[in-house]
Amino acid sequence: MALPSQCTGRDVAIDIGGGHSVGTGRFAREAGNMRGYMASPESDGAVLAAAATLRAERHLGEGPTTDLLILGLSATDYVGHTYGTGGSEMCLQMLALDQSLGDFFTRVDATGIDYAVVLTADHGGHDLPERNQQLAAPSAQRVDAALSPEAIGRRLASELHITTTGPLISGDGAFGDMYVNRSLSTAQRARVIAAATRMLSAHPQVERVILGSTLAAMPMPTRSPELWTLEERLRASYNAQRSGDFLLVLKPRVTPIPESNMGYVATHGSVWDYDRRVPILFWRAGMRPFEQPNPVMTVDILPTLAGMIGLPIAPGQIDGRCLDLLSGTDNSCPAR
């Protein structure tokens, strides 16, 4: 792809080792390279083209009832993982996505139907530490491989003289939920969790180790999400049936990928705001635009859409609240 002038400032090569770099890519790829295709603007364009055809074939928006069309445009996620969020690749992706969305809305406009748009994301993102180190976050770093579940388990097994079938500690990478081998007795599990908490809390990259039992005993947070403590942020995602026996929280700007040349250079999933905060945009023809700077939640989207079409929802029936999308004294949410 050609690089627009507004992306030239991001066209800087970042060495990720093994003779590879990111930051100057143009989405060139070999034929048949599906992974390269997914991590490019073309995949979003294909989804939107298919959606436009589907809308026409099913006559969505042309009947007496409200239709719902939900699209997952995943290229931004793949681009962020593969190249990071601050290089020419992401700049190209954002501009191309904007153009593809514009083309899609133009096709819908041509039908004359009334429609509303909601745009949001499932998570934020953090750039790869090698680029952050050159820019405004010199303390950014990759996680110590000693914090992987396998390494933690080996060290604890040696220290506590415990032998198990399978790993002592398992988990999805070097952060988040950690699980103790289920074959252990209750007393052994308690010893392992206590030793893991002590060992990991002393590591300079670890912000906190929190027990699943601690989170299970907490009430679900109800105040505004920007006021949540670290424990409340974890509690909001905790599920006793599948969450970890303890949770490992890395310090801010620590990327839980130990090496830069592993296919993915950046990731997400932490408790920090750069991963938690996402844009939420509502649009409909004739609406007066305004910005709401105060935090809302993604669970507010459903009741807000219900309010737009006059669908009543009893208080307490679902999560979230209806957001008033009309500036001034008018209100898009039904009176209760």
Side-chain angles (χ1 to χ4, degrees), residues 175-222:
F175 76 118
D177 295 294
M178 298 286 178
Y179 304 85
V180 180
N181 192 298
R182 297 299 185 197
S183 68
L184 298 184
S185 67
T186 300
Q188 286 176 316
R189 290 169 58 81
R191 287 181 61 211
V192 170
I193 292 173
T197 301
R198 182 181 64 255
M199 179 183 75
L200 296 173
S201 297
H203 195 286
Q205 289 185 335
V206 173
E207 178 74 19
R208 197 86 53 84
V209 179
I210 299 179
L211 304 188
S213 58
T214 299
L215 299 176
M218 292 175 56
M220 189 67 73
T222 56

mmCIF file of all heavy atoms in Angstrom, residues 175-222:
data_model
loop_
_atom_site.group_PDB
_atom_site.id
_atom_site.type_symbol
_atom_site.label_atom_id
_atom_site.label_comp_id
_atom_site.label_asym_id
_atom_site.label_seq_id
_atom_site.Cartn_x
_atom_site.Cartn_y
_atom_site.Cartn_z
ATOM 1 N N PHE A 175 0.796 -13.682 32.717
ATOM 2 C CA PHE A 175 -0.020 -12.734 33.470
ATOM 3 C C PHE A 175 -1.430 -13.280 33.559
ATOM 4 O O PHE A 175 -1.816 -14.180 32.818
ATOM 5 C CB PHE A 175 -0.032 -11.348 32.824
ATOM 6 C CG PHE A 175 -0.900 -11.230 31.596
ATOM 7 C CD1 PHE A 175 -1.975 -10.362 31.580
ATOM 8 C CD2 PHE A 175 -0.630 -11.970 30.460
ATOM 9 C CE1 PHE A 175 -2.773 -10.237 30.454
ATOM 10 C CE2 PHE A 175 -1.423 -11.852 29.325
ATOM 11 C CZ PHE A 175 -2.499 -10.982 29.333
ATOM 12 N N GLY A 176 -2.184 -12.771 34.486
ATOM 13 C CA GLY A 176 -3.575 -13.165 34.605
ATOM 14 C C GLY A 176 -3.770 -14.413 35.431
ATOM 15 O O GLY A 176 -3.091 -14.627 36.442
ATOM 16 N N ASP A 177 -4.716 -15.246 35.021
ATOM 17 C CA ASP A 177 -5.136 -16.392 35.812
ATOM 18 C C ASP A 177 -4.066 -17.475 35.877
ATOM 19 O O ASP A 177 -3.533 -17.897 34.855
ATOM 20 C CB ASP A 177 -6.409 -16.995 35.215
ATOM 21 C CG ASP A 177 -7.589 -16.044 35.298
ATOM 22 O OD1 ASP A 177 -8.018 -15.748 36.411
ATOM 23 O OD2 ASP A 177 -8.055 -15.594 34.230
ATOM 24 N N MET A 178 -3.794 -17.943 37.088
ATOM 25 C CA MET A 178 -2.868 -19.041 37.328
ATOM 26 C C MET A 178 -3.615 -20.146 38.087
ATOM 27 O O MET A 178 -4.338 -19.869 39.053
ATOM 28 C CB MET A 178 -1.660 -18.569 38.152
ATOM 29 C CG MET A 178 -0.821 -17.499 37.467
ATOM 30 S SD MET A 178 0.179 -18.161 36.119
ATOM 31 C CE MET A 178 0.961 -16.661 35.509
ATOM 32 N N TYR A 179 -3.417 -21.384 37.644
ATOM 33 C CA TYR A 179 -4.153 -22.514 38.193
ATOM 34 C C TYR A 179 -3.187 -23.509 38.808
ATOM 35 O O TYR A 179 -2.176 -23.873 38.197
ATOM 36 C CB TYR A 179 -4.966 -23.204 37.097
ATOM 37 C CG TYR A 179 -5.906 -22.281 36.373
ATOM 38 C CD1 TYR A 179 -5.462 -21.510 35.293
ATOM 39 C CD2 TYR A 179 -7.241 -22.155 36.760
ATOM 40 C CE1 TYR A 179 -6.317 -20.655 34.613
ATOM 41 C CE2 TYR A 179 -8.112 -21.299 36.092
ATOM 42 C CZ TYR A 179 -7.644 -20.551 35.015
ATOM 43 O OH TYR A 179 -8.484 -19.694 34.348
ATOM 44 N N VAL A 180 -3.521 -23.987 40.005
ATOM 45 C CA VAL A 180 -2.722 -24.992 40.690
ATOM 46 C C VAL A 180 -3.245 -26.376 40.312
ATOM 47 O O VAL A 180 -4.460 -26.584 40.195
ATOM 48 C CB VAL A 180 -2.794 -24.787 42.219
ATOM 49 C CG1 VAL A 180 -1.958 -25.850 42.938
ATOM 50 C CG2 VAL A 180 -2.312 -23.389 42.586
ATOM 51 N N ASN A 181 -2.328 -27.309 40.107
ATOM 52 C CA ASN A 181 -2.678 -28.673 39.708
ATOM 53 C C ASN A 181 -3.785 -29.239 40.599
ATOM 54 O O ASN A 181 -3.681 -29.225 41.830
ATOM 55 C CB ASN A 181 -1.428 -29.556 39.786
ATOM 56 C CG ASN A 181 -1.636 -30.902 39.119
ATOM 57 O OD1 ASN A 181 -2.473 -31.677 39.532
ATOM 58 N ND2 ASN A 181 -0.855 -31.164 38.082
ATOM 59 N N ARG A 182 -4.846 -29.723 39.989
ATOM 60 C CA ARG A 182 -6.024 -30.181 40.724
ATOM 61 C C ARG A 182 -5.792 -31.479 41.486
ATOM 62 O O ARG A 182 -6.632 -31.867 42.310
ATOM 63 C CB ARG A 182 -7.200 -30.361 39.760
ATOM 64 C CG ARG A 182 -7.653 -29.081 39.080
ATOM 65 C CD ARG A 182 -8.109 -28.062 40.081
ATOM 66 N NE ARG A 182 -8.652 -26.867 39.425
ATOM 67 C CZ ARG A 182 -8.825 -25.714 40.027
ATOM 68 N NH1 ARG A 182 -8.476 -25.585 41.301
ATOM 69 N NH2 ARG A 182 -9.322 -24.680 39.381
ATOM 70 N N SER A 183 -4.706 -32.187 41.199
ATOM 71 C CA SER A 183 -4.468 -33.453 41.888
ATOM 72 C C SER A 183 -3.959 -33.261 43.317
ATOM 73 O O SER A 183 -3.926 -34.217 44.104
ATOM 74 C CB SER A 183 -3.459 -34.302 41.101
ATOM 75 O OG SER A 183 -2.168 -33.696 41.120
ATOM 76 N N LEU A 184 -3.576 -32.044 43.667
ATOM 77 C CA LEU A 184 -3.033 -31.797 45.003
ATOM 78 C C LEU A 184 -4.137 -31.787 46.051
ATOM 79 O O LEU A 184 -5.291 -31.466 45.769
ATOM 80 C CB LEU A 184 -2.299 -30.461 45.033
ATOM 81 C CG LEU A 184 -1.082 -30.306 44.109
ATOM 82 C CD1 LEU A 184 -0.430 -28.959 44.337
ATOM 83 C CD2 LEU A 184 -0.083 -31.431 44.299
ATOM 84 N N SER A 185 -3.753 -32.097 47.264
ATOM 85 C CA SER A 185 -4.690 -31.997 48.381
ATOM 86 C C SER A 185 -4.945 -30.535 48.711
ATOM 87 O O SER A 185 -4.222 -29.632 48.260
ATOM 88 C CB SER A 185 -4.120 -32.710 49.609
ATOM 89 O OG SER A 185 -2.972 -32.008 50.096
ATOM 90 N N THR A 186 -5.956 -30.288 49.517
ATOM 91 C CA THR A 186 -6.268 -28.920 49.919
ATOM 92 C C THR A 186 -5.092 -28.274 50.632
ATOM 93 O O THR A 186 -4.756 -27.104 50.387
ATOM 94 C CB THR A 186 -7.504 -28.917 50.830
ATOM 95 O OG1 THR A 186 -8.620 -29.468 50.123
ATOM 96 C CG2 THR A 186 -7.853 -27.501 51.275
ATOM 97 N N ALA A 187 -4.435 -29.037 51.499
ATOM 98 C CA ALA A 187 -3.286 -28.498 52.231
ATOM 99 C C ALA A 187 -2.127 -28.189 51.292
ATOM 100 O O ALA A 187 -1.451 -27.159 51.437
ATOM 101 C CB ALA A 187 -2.852 -29.492 53.306
ATOM 102 N N GLN A 188 -1.876 -29.076 50.335
ATOM 103 C CA GLN A 188 -0.791 -28.836 49.376
ATOM 104 C C GLN A 188 -1.096 -27.611 48.521
ATOM 105 O O GLN A 188 -0.196 -26.798 48.242
ATOM 106 C CB GLN A 188 -0.598 -30.061 48.494
ATOM 107 C CG GLN A 188 0.067 -31.247 49.172
ATOM 108 C CD GLN A 188 0.137 -32.452 48.248
ATOM 109 O OE1 GLN A 188 -0.829 -32.789 47.557
ATOM 110 N NE2 GLN A 188 1.295 -33.103 48.236
ATOM 111 N N ARG A 189 -2.329 -27.475 48.080
ATOM 112 C CA ARG A 189 -2.702 -26.324 47.260
ATOM 113 C C ARG A 189 -2.492 -25.034 48.039
ATOM 114 O O ARG A 189 -2.004 -24.038 47.494
ATOM 115 C CB ARG A 189 -4.158 -26.446 46.811
ATOM 116 C CG ARG A 189 -4.394 -27.549 45.785
ATOM 117 C CD ARG A 189 -5.878 -27.815 45.578
ATOM 118 N NE ARG A 189 -6.566 -26.615 45.158
ATOM 119 C CZ ARG A 189 -6.579 -26.158 43.907
ATOM 120 N NH1 ARG A 189 -5.913 -26.817 42.969
ATOM 121 N NH2 ARG A 189 -7.229 -25.069 43.593
ATOM 122 N N ALA A 190 -2.842 -25.028 49.307
ATOM 123 C CA ALA A 190 -2.643 -23.841 50.129
ATOM 124 C C ALA A 190 -1.168 -23.502 50.247
ATOM 125 O O ALA A 190 -0.774 -22.327 50.195
ATOM 126 C CB ALA A 190 -3.252 -24.068 51.512
ATOM 127 N N ARG A 191 -0.308 -24.516 50.407
ATOM 128 C CA ARG A 191 1.143 -24.288 50.477
ATOM 129 C C ARG A 191 1.662 -23.701 49.179
ATOM 130 O O ARG A 191 2.477 -22.767 49.174
ATOM 131 C CB ARG A 191 1.873 -25.605 50.768
ATOM 132 C CG ARG A 191 1.753 -26.135 52.178
ATOM 133 C CD ARG A 191 2.549 -27.413 52.306
ATOM 134 N NE ARG A 191 3.976 -27.184 52.037
ATOM 135 C CZ ARG A 191 4.787 -28.103 51.509
ATOM 136 N NH1 ARG A 191 4.312 -29.292 51.151
ATOM 137 N NH2 ARG A 191 6.070 -27.816 51.331
ATOM 138 N N VAL A 192 1.206 -24.256 48.061
ATOM 139 C CA VAL A 192 1.666 -23.771 46.755
ATOM 140 C C VAL A 192 1.244 -22.321 46.541
ATOM 141 O O VAL A 192 2.044 -21.473 46.111
ATOM 142 C CB VAL A 192 1.113 -24.668 45.624
ATOM 143 C CG1 VAL A 192 1.370 -24.031 44.256
ATOM 144 C CG2 VAL A 192 1.751 -26.050 45.684
ATOM 145 N N ILE A 193 -0.005 -21.996 46.832
ATOM 146 C CA ILE A 193 -0.496 -20.629 46.614
ATOM 147 C C ILE A 193 0.234 -19.650 47.520
ATOM 148 O O ILE A 193 0.620 -18.549 47.081
ATOM 149 C CB ILE A 193 -2.019 -20.576 46.850
ATOM 150 C CG1 ILE A 193 -2.744 -21.371 45.766
ATOM 151 C CG2 ILE A 193 -2.512 -19.131 46.872
ATOM 152 C CD1 ILE A 193 -4.237 -21.519 45.996
ATOM 153 N N ALA A 194 0.474 -20.028 48.773
ATOM 154 C CA ALA A 194 1.193 -19.142 49.690
ATOM 155 C C ALA A 194 2.627 -18.919 49.212
ATOM 156 O O ALA A 194 3.134 -17.786 49.238
ATOM 157 C CB ALA A 194 1.192 -19.734 51.095
ATOM 158 N N ALA A 195 3.296 -19.980 48.764
ATOM 159 C CA ALA A 195 4.673 -19.854 48.288
ATOM 160 C C ALA A 195 4.728 -19.041 47.001
ATOM 161 O O ALA A 195 5.639 -18.223 46.803
ATOM 162 C CB ALA A 195 5.280 -21.243 48.083
ATOM 163 N N ALA A 196 3.763 -19.261 46.105
ATOM 164 C CA ALA A 196 3.732 -18.499 44.849
ATOM 165 C C ALA A 196 3.518 -17.019 45.126
ATOM 166 O O ALA A 196 4.168 -16.161 44.510
ATOM 167 C CB ALA A 196 2.624 -19.041 43.952
ATOM 168 N N THR A 197 2.618 -16.708 46.051
ATOM 169 C CA THR A 197 2.365 -15.311 46.396
ATOM 170 C C THR A 197 3.620 -14.650 46.934
ATOM 171 O O THR A 197 3.970 -13.524 46.546
ATOM 172 C CB THR A 197 1.232 -15.224 47.432
ATOM 173 O OG1 THR A 197 0.047 -15.825 46.897
ATOM 174 C CG2 THR A 197 0.955 -13.782 47.802
ATOM 175 N N ARG A 198 4.295 -15.328 47.822
ATOM 176 C CA ARG A 198 5.526 -14.780 48.408
ATOM 177 C C ARG A 198 6.613 -14.603 47.342
ATOM 178 O O ARG A 198 7.253 -13.541 47.260
ATOM 179 C CB ARG A 198 6.022 -15.722 49.508
ATOM 180 C CG ARG A 198 7.281 -15.229 50.232
ATOM 181 C CD ARG A 198 7.737 -16.206 51.295
ATOM 182 N NE ARG A 198 8.145 -17.496 50.728
ATOM 183 C CZ ARG A 198 7.448 -18.611 50.789
ATOM 184 N NH1 ARG A 198 6.257 -18.629 51.365
ATOM 185 N NH2 ARG A 198 7.910 -19.731 50.254
ATOM 186 N N MET A 199 6.814 -15.598 46.514
ATOM 187 C CA MET A 199 7.867 -15.557 45.510
ATOM 188 C C MET A 199 7.596 -14.493 44.447
ATOM 189 O O MET A 199 8.463 -13.680 44.118
ATOM 190 C CB MET A 199 7.996 -16.925 44.841
ATOM 191 C CG MET A 199 9.052 -17.008 43.748
ATOM 192 S SD MET A 199 9.059 -18.628 42.955
ATOM 193 C CE MET A 199 7.582 -18.515 41.935
ATOM 194 N N LEU A 200 6.380 -14.463 43.926
ATOM 195 C CA LEU A 200 6.064 -13.553 42.831
ATOM 196 C C LEU A 200 5.968 -12.111 43.295
ATOM 197 O O LEU A 200 6.321 -11.188 42.557
ATOM 198 C CB LEU A 200 4.762 -13.980 42.163
ATOM 199 C CG LEU A 200 4.792 -15.355 41.482
ATOM 200 C CD1 LEU A 200 3.408 -15.751 41.015
ATOM 201 C CD2 LEU A 200 5.775 -15.340 40.326
ATOM 202 N N SER A 201 5.500 -11.879 44.503
ATOM 203 C CA SER A 201 5.370 -10.508 45.014
ATOM 204 C C SER A 201 6.716 -9.819 45.127
ATOM 205 O O SER A 201 6.782 -8.578 45.113
ATOM 206 C CB SER A 201 4.669 -10.514 46.375
ATOM 207 O OG SER A 201 3.352 -11.016 46.266
ATOM 208 N N ALA A 202 7.790 -10.599 45.228
ATOM 209 C CA ALA A 202 9.122 -10.014 45.344
ATOM 210 C C ALA A 202 9.739 -9.682 44.001
ATOM 211 O O ALA A 202 10.792 -9.029 43.945
ATOM 212 C CB ALA A 202 10.039 -10.983 46.102
ATOM 213 N N HIS A 203 9.098 -10.089 42.904
ATOM 214 C CA HIS A 203 9.672 -9.843 41.579
ATOM 215 C C HIS A 203 9.463 -8.387 41.174
ATOM 216 O O HIS A 203 8.362 -7.845 41.333
ATOM 217 C CB HIS A 203 9.042 -10.778 40.551
ATOM 218 C CG HIS A 203 9.785 -10.856 39.265
ATOM 219 N ND1 HIS A 203 9.775 -9.850 38.326
ATOM 220 C CD2 HIS A 203 10.607 -11.830 38.751
ATOM 221 C CE1 HIS A 203 10.521 -10.190 37.283
ATOM 222 N NE2 HIS A 203 11.042 -11.389 37.528
ATOM 223 N N PRO A 204 10.473 -7.722 40.615
ATOM 224 C CA PRO A 204 10.345 -6.292 40.297
ATOM 225 C C PRO A 204 9.328 -5.974 39.201
ATOM 226 O O PRO A 204 8.911 -4.821 39.085
ATOM 227 C CB PRO A 204 11.764 -5.898 39.870
ATOM 228 C CG PRO A 204 12.423 -7.178 39.465
ATOM 229 C CD PRO A 204 11.834 -8.224 40.344
ATOM 230 N N GLN A 205 8.925 -6.947 38.402
ATOM 231 C CA GLN A 205 7.934 -6.694 37.354
ATOM 232 C C GLN A 205 6.500 -6.957 37.811
ATOM 233 O O GLN A 205 5.567 -6.723 37.056
ATOM 234 C CB GLN A 205 8.226 -7.556 36.122
ATOM 235 C CG GLN A 205 9.464 -7.143 35.350
ATOM 236 C CD GLN A 205 9.616 -7.954 34.076
ATOM 237 O OE1 GLN A 205 9.126 -9.075 33.962
ATOM 238 N NE2 GLN A 205 10.309 -7.387 33.104
ATOM 239 N N VAL A 206 6.324 -7.430 39.024
ATOM 240 C CA VAL A 206 4.993 -7.816 39.507
ATOM 241 C C VAL A 206 4.393 -6.697 40.350
ATOM 242 O O VAL A 206 5.004 -6.237 41.314
ATOM 243 C CB VAL A 206 5.058 -9.124 40.309
ATOM 244 C CG1 VAL A 206 3.703 -9.433 40.954
ATOM 245 C CG2 VAL A 206 5.489 -10.272 39.398
ATOM 246 N N GLU A 207 3.211 -6.276 39.980
ATOM 247 C CA GLU A 207 2.469 -5.274 40.739
ATOM 248 C C GLU A 207 1.753 -5.894 41.930
ATOM 249 O O GLU A 207 1.778 -5.361 43.031
ATOM 250 C CB GLU A 207 1.434 -4.589 39.836
ATOM 251 C CG GLU A 207 0.571 -3.559 40.524
ATOM 252 C CD GLU A 207 1.314 -2.274 40.832
ATOM 253 O OE1 GLU A 207 2.373 -2.023 40.213
ATOM 254 O OE2 GLU A 207 0.825 -1.502 41.689
ATOM 255 N N ARG A 208 1.084 -7.025 41.710
ATOM 256 C CA ARG A 208 0.280 -7.622 42.766
ATOM 257 C C ARG A 208 0.002 -9.080 42.445
ATOM 258 O O ARG A 208 -0.126 -9.459 41.271
ATOM 259 C CB ARG A 208 -1.052 -6.880 42.885
ATOM 260 C CG ARG A 208 -1.827 -7.112 44.172
ATOM 261 C CD ARG A 208 -1.383 -6.155 45.273
ATOM 262 N NE ARG A 208 -1.436 -4.767 44.845
ATOM 263 C CZ ARG A 208 -2.548 -4.011 44.875
ATOM 264 N NH1 ARG A 208 -3.678 -4.516 45.301
ATOM 265 N NH2 ARG A 208 -2.494 -2.745 44.492
ATOM 266 N N VAL A 209 -0.104 -9.896 43.469
ATOM 267 C CA VAL A 209 -0.631 -11.255 43.367
ATOM 268 C C VAL A 209 -1.887 -11.304 44.224
ATOM 269 O O VAL A 209 -1.851 -10.965 45.409
ATOM 270 C CB VAL A 209 0.387 -12.307 43.847
ATOM 271 C CG1 VAL A 209 -0.211 -13.714 43.743
ATOM 272 C CG2 VAL A 209 1.678 -12.219 43.036
ATOM 273 N N ILE A 210 -3.002 -11.673 43.621
ATOM 274 C CA ILE A 210 -4.285 -11.642 44.316
ATOM 275 C C ILE A 210 -4.926 -13.022 44.242
ATOM 276 O O ILE A 210 -4.981 -13.642 43.168
ATOM 277 C CB ILE A 210 -5.214 -10.578 43.704
ATOM 278 C CG1 ILE A 210 -4.571 -9.187 43.834
ATOM 279 C CG2 ILE A 210 -6.582 -10.596 44.363
ATOM 280 C CD1 ILE A 210 -5.381 -8.076 43.252
ATOM 281 N N LEU A 211 -5.399 -13.506 45.360
ATOM 282 C CA LEU A 211 -6.004 -14.828 45.429
ATOM 283 C C LEU A 211 -7.410 -14.806 44.829
ATOM 284 O O LEU A 211 -8.170 -13.849 45.000
ATOM 285 C CB LEU A 211 -6.083 -15.311 46.874
ATOM 286 C CG LEU A 211 -4.770 -15.367 47.670
ATOM 287 C CD1 LEU A 211 -5.011 -16.043 49.013
ATOM 288 C CD2 LEU A 211 -3.686 -16.092 46.888
ATOM 289 N N GLY A 212 -7.756 -15.879 44.155
ATOM 290 C CA GLY A 212 -9.115 -16.007 43.647
ATOM 291 C C GLY A 212 -10.131 -15.981 44.757
ATOM 292 O O GLY A 212 -11.231 -15.414 44.604
ATOM 293 N N SER A 213 -9.798 -16.567 45.896
ATOM 294 C CA SER A 213 -10.727 -16.566 47.025
ATOM 295 C C SER A 213 -10.991 -15.161 47.537
ATOM 296 O O SER A 213 -12.097 -14.848 48.000
ATOM 297 C CB SER A 213 -10.177 -17.446 48.155
ATOM 298 O OG SER A 213 -8.894 -16.988 48.573
ATOM 299 N N THR A 214 -9.993 -14.292 47.441
ATOM 300 C CA THR A 214 -10.176 -12.899 47.847
ATOM 301 C C THR A 214 -11.190 -12.206 46.941
ATOM 302 O O THR A 214 -12.082 -11.482 47.408
ATOM 303 C CB THR A 214 -8.840 -12.150 47.808
ATOM 304 O OG1 THR A 214 -7.924 -12.754 48.721
ATOM 305 C CG2 THR A 214 -9.016 -10.683 48.167
ATOM 306 N N LEU A 215 -11.061 -12.427 45.641
ATOM 307 C CA LEU A 215 -11.983 -11.809 44.687
ATOM 308 C C LEU A 215 -13.389 -12.382 44.835
ATOM 309 O O LEU A 215 -14.384 -11.647 44.745
ATOM 310 C CB LEU A 215 -11.477 -12.010 43.265
ATOM 311 C CG LEU A 215 -10.112 -11.396 42.941
ATOM 312 C CD1 LEU A 215 -9.696 -11.744 41.527
ATOM 313 C CD2 LEU A 215 -10.140 -9.882 43.124
ATOM 314 N N ALA A 216 -13.476 -13.691 45.082
ATOM 315 C CA ALA A 216 -14.789 -14.322 45.220
ATOM 316 C C ALA A 216 -15.567 -13.741 46.401
ATOM 317 O O ALA A 216 -16.798 -13.695 46.372
ATOM 318 C CB ALA A 216 -14.625 -15.825 45.387
ATOM 319 N N ALA A 217 -14.850 -13.302 47.429
ATOM 320 C CA ALA A 217 -15.505 -12.764 48.622
ATOM 321 C C ALA A 217 -15.898 -11.301 48.467
ATOM 322 O O ALA A 217 -16.620 -10.763 49.323
ATOM 323 C CB ALA A 217 -14.580 -12.928 49.824
ATOM 324 N N MET A 218 -15.451 -10.645 47.403
ATOM 325 C CA MET A 218 -15.754 -9.235 47.205
ATOM 326 C C MET A 218 -17.087 -9.051 46.499
ATOM 327 O O MET A 218 -17.447 -9.855 45.628
ATOM 328 C CB MET A 218 -14.647 -8.562 46.364
ATOM 329 C CG MET A 218 -13.316 -8.436 47.035
ATOM 330 S SD MET A 218 -12.069 -7.752 45.881
ATOM 331 C CE MET A 218 -12.867 -6.211 45.368
ATOM 332 N N PRO A 219 -17.823 -7.979 46.785
ATOM 333 C CA PRO A 219 -19.022 -7.671 46.003
ATOM 334 C C PRO A 219 -18.622 -7.135 44.623
ATOM 335 O O PRO A 219 -17.525 -6.592 44.441
ATOM 336 C CB PRO A 219 -19.720 -6.592 46.833
ATOM 337 C CG PRO A 219 -18.600 -5.921 47.589
ATOM 338 C CD PRO A 219 -17.606 -7.011 47.882
ATOM 339 N N MET A 220 -19.498 -7.302 43.666
ATOM 340 C CA MET A 220 -19.244 -6.758 42.343
ATOM 341 C C MET A 220 -19.256 -5.227 42.424
ATOM 342 O O MET A 220 -20.132 -4.641 43.054
ATOM 343 C CB MET A 220 -20.316 -7.233 41.368
ATOM 344 C CG MET A 220 -20.022 -6.890 39.919
ATOM 345 S SD MET A 220 -18.595 -7.771 39.252
ATOM 346 C CE MET A 220 -19.263 -9.425 39.090
ATOM 347 N N PRO A 221 -18.263 -4.536 41.820
ATOM 348 C CA PRO A 221 -18.243 -3.075 41.911
ATOM 349 C C PRO A 221 -19.445 -2.453 41.222
ATOM 350 O O PRO A 221 -19.873 -2.921 40.164
ATOM 351 C CB PRO A 221 -16.927 -2.699 41.211
ATOM 352 C CG PRO A 221 -16.601 -3.865 40.331
ATOM 353 C CD PRO A 221 -17.125 -5.063 41.047
ATOM 354 N N THR A 222 -19.962 -1.407 41.825
ATOM 355 C CA THR A 222 -21.130 -0.729 41.262
ATOM 356 C C THR A 222 -20.870 0.744 40.979
ATOM 357 O O THR A 222 -21.673 1.381 40.300
ATOM 358 C CB THR A 222 -22.321 -0.842 42.234
ATOM 359 O OG1 THR A 222 -21.946 -0.304 43.512
ATOM 360 C CG2 THR A 222 -22.746 -2.285 42.408
#
